Amino acid sequence: MFRWSVHLEGGPRRVNHAAVAVGHKVFSFGGYCSGEDYETLRQIDVHVFNTVSLRWMKLPPVRTLGHERAREVPYMRYGHTAVLLDDTIYLWGGRNDTEGACNVLYAFDVKSHRWFTPKVSGTVPGARDGHSSCVLKKAMYIFGGYEQLADCFSNDIHKLDTTEMVWSLINAMGTPARWRDFHSATIIGTKMFVFGGRADRFGRFHSNNEFYCNKIKVFDTETNCWQSTASILPLPDGRRSHSAFSYNGELYIFGGYNARLERHFNDLWKFNPETVSWNEIEPKGKGPCPRRRQCCCMVGDRIILFGGTSPCPEQGMGDEFNLMDHSDLYILDFKPNLKTLCKIAVIQYSLEHSGLPHDIRWELAAMTTNSNISRPIFSSHG
């Protein structure tokens, strides 16, 4: 049973950020919020969410002594990626309005909260944003994105061997995935499953003829070969800036945006690699509103989803410019325990027999069953 079991407000308002789960905590890096100052170059901010206490904490800025030390800390950015390997989070790519795109590899020690820039060699990927990154064993794979220097979409695969800290450009065989950005790439077994993203109908360059593919492309890391999958109906709509994650060997996607359809999404779909089929999942509880550029992290049997942006309530759901940025957080529980289910059943029964109007009962049920926290969820410690 899938259930949206927790809904919190008052966290960091972030869009197009990157996040990583470390034990029972989620580390969120950078992103942007409409109205903030992005002309002034400053350190990337780091927010930590404790999934036990359900509290956010913002880490203090890193003290830097001298220019060289300052370069060890990434500047504020969006459209970047972050992955976890052992006790180190590797942050790569992204851009901001002052510096443009970046291709420096930054490392964050989750124990000491210290930044450093590992010395790398090999074929370093060009600066970009909107790419994907995922980890298999001791390697990080970078795919796609929008390359700043070439001013075009990418469909290259770069691999970072973190044991030797060597970058390589993979000479992939087969028909590659289309050039794209703001897609998702998810490792299941030894394969990378690529879905969605923004592409152009005519090739690598952005000509305002956007194309949103809803087919899965698979990259086999053992054979370095691209594979296509059959299209078995039903299929989710193509989209970009969605979230993707794997659970029990299956791929899930949530939300996103399709400019051609002028639509934001809040649907949840599951892809089974064995049957090569999609199914739309409808969890219990009240979930997030349609949005894009949010973050999703798996912690145990739960998905922590937070942030993103949506059209303002008075605007249409496809409006791309009149947007509101979110500071909310939702937890999707794949295996809600008996205590949680009993609590929800009792609350719902009480509300149904309360005599209150239906719309008020619905809001109370959502607020109470999706955790009883409605106060600010920032903490100065832990």
Side-chain angles (χ1 to χ4, degrees):
M1 176 189 296
F2 299 79
R3 175 176 287 277
W4 294 105
S5 60
V6 172
H7 171 204
L8 305 175
E9 295 285 351
R13 196 178 302 276
R14 283 290 171 261
V15 178
N16 220 352
H17 42 307
V20 174
V22 182
H24 67 281
K25 294 182 179 180
V26 173
F27 287 74
S28 176
F29 300 90
Y32 68 86
C33 176
S34 301
E36 289 188 356
D37 173 24
Y38 291 95
E39 295 298 324
T40 304
L41 199 64
R42 65 184 192 277
Q43 289 185 19
I44 197 167
D45 58 23
V46 184
H47 292 90
V48 183
F49 180 71
N50 188 316
T51 63
V52 177
S53 66
L54 302 182
R55 291 291 185 271
W56 282 102
M57 175 186 68
K58 184 177 181 179
L59 297 187
V62 176
R63 293 184 177 181
T64 57
L65 299 175
H67 181 67
E68 289 301 316
R69 179 69 186 100
R71 292 176 59 185
E72 297 282 304
V73 183
Y75 54 77
M76 198 66 174
R77 64 191 63 204
Y78 53 87
H80 50 294
T81 56
V83 299
L84 176 68
L85 265 166
D86 299 323
D87 292 324
T88 304
I89 295 172
Y90 292 101
L91 185 147
W92 192 85
R95 65 181 299 114
N96 72 12
D97 300 336
T98 303
E99 296 292 308
C102 179
N103 70 340
V104 176
L105 179 70
Y106 294 94
F108 179 82
D109 188 303
V110 297
K111 292 182 177 179
S112 66
H113 296 174
R114 300 281 293 178
W115 287 101
F116 60 100
T117 51
K119 185 178 180 180
V120 298
S121 61
T123 307
V124 179
R128 69 192 67 195
D129 71 319
H131 57 285
S132 60
S133 63
C134 48
V135 166
L136 179 61
K137 297 178 181 177
K138 297 292 185 180
M140 177 175 74
Y141 292 85
I142 298 290
F143 170 72
Y146 200 86
E147 295 187 58
Q148 177 169 286
L149 187 60
D151 195 20
C152 66
F153 297 108
S154 172
N155 68 346
D156 292 337
I157 303 175
H158 287 82
K159 177 182 177 181
L160 175 68
D161 179 350
T162 62
T163 58
E164 302 292 334
M165 299 310 293
V166 176
W167 283 104
S168 59
L169 173 62
I170 293 179
N171 183 21
M173 297 176 288
T175 304
R178 196 175 185 85
W179 306 274
R180 66 186 74 190
D181 66 358
F182 293 106
H183 53 283
S184 61
T186 310
I187 292 289
I188 301 178
T190 59
K191 296 180 178 180
M192 180 175 73
F193 291 75
V194 175
F195 175 81
R198 176 184 62 170
D200 193 276
R201 291 187 178 277
F202 302 114
R204 299 179 60 185
F205 297 96
H206 192 201
S207 66
N208 292 320
N209 287 277
E210 293 184 356
F211 174 70
Y212 295 86
C213 182
N214 64 347
K215 309 292 193 306
I216 291 276
K217 287 288 288 188
V218 182
F219 178 73
D220 190 323
T221 63
E222 293 186 326
T223 63
N224 284 346
C225 186
W226 282 104
Q227 304 168 353
S228 298
T229 58
S231 300
I232 301 176
L233 298 177
L235 297 174
D237 289 312
R239 63 196 68 194
R240 65 175 169 93
S241 305
H242 55 285
S243 296
F245 53 90
S246 64
Y247 181 75
N248 285 347
E250 294 178 304
L251 172 68
Y252 291 80
I253 65 165
F254 172 86
Y257 173 70
N258 184 310
R260 296 191 69 86
L261 297 177
E262 295 186 343
R263 183 181 174 191
H264 285 77
F265 301 94
N266 67 340
D267 49 354
L268 178 68
W269 287 79
K270 178 179 73 172
F271 177 77
N272 186 318
E274 298 298 325
T275 61
V276 199
S277 60
W278 286 97
N279 287 296
E280 186 171 3
I281 307 298
E282 297 184 1
K284 302 290 185 181
K286 188 176 180 180
C289 67
R291 65 186 63 198
R292 57 173 157 154
R293 295 178 173 175
Q294 67 283 339
C295 273
C296 280
C297 290
M298 175 71 72
V299 178
D301 293 314
R302 298 183 297 169
I303 283 294
I304 314 299
L305 182 153
F306 59 98
T309 191
S310 300
C312 294
E314 62 271 15
Q315 304 294 332
M317 285 315 296
D319 196 296
E320 187 175 3
F321 302 104
N322 294 293
L323 301 173
M324 58 181 293
D325 302 336
H326 296 293
S327 61
D328 55 2
L329 180 146
Y330 289 82
I331 295 182
L332 177 63
D333 203 331
F334 281 63
K335 292 182 178 180
N337 58 40
L338 184 59
K339 180 180 178 181
T340 299
L341 295 176
C342 289
K343 176 184 175 183
I344 291 171
V346 169
I347 292 169
Q348 289 178 337
Y349 178 85
S350 300
L351 289 171
E352 287 171 2
H353 293 79
S354 65
L356 293 170
H358 174 76
D359 57 341
I360 295 178
R361 293 205 312 268
W362 175 262
E363 289 301 322
L364 287 173
M367 284 167 46
T368 313
T369 59
N370 291 5
S371 175
N372 60 359
I373 295 180
S374 58
R375 57 189 179 274
I377 54 172
F378 262 103
S379 173
S380 60
H381 60 277

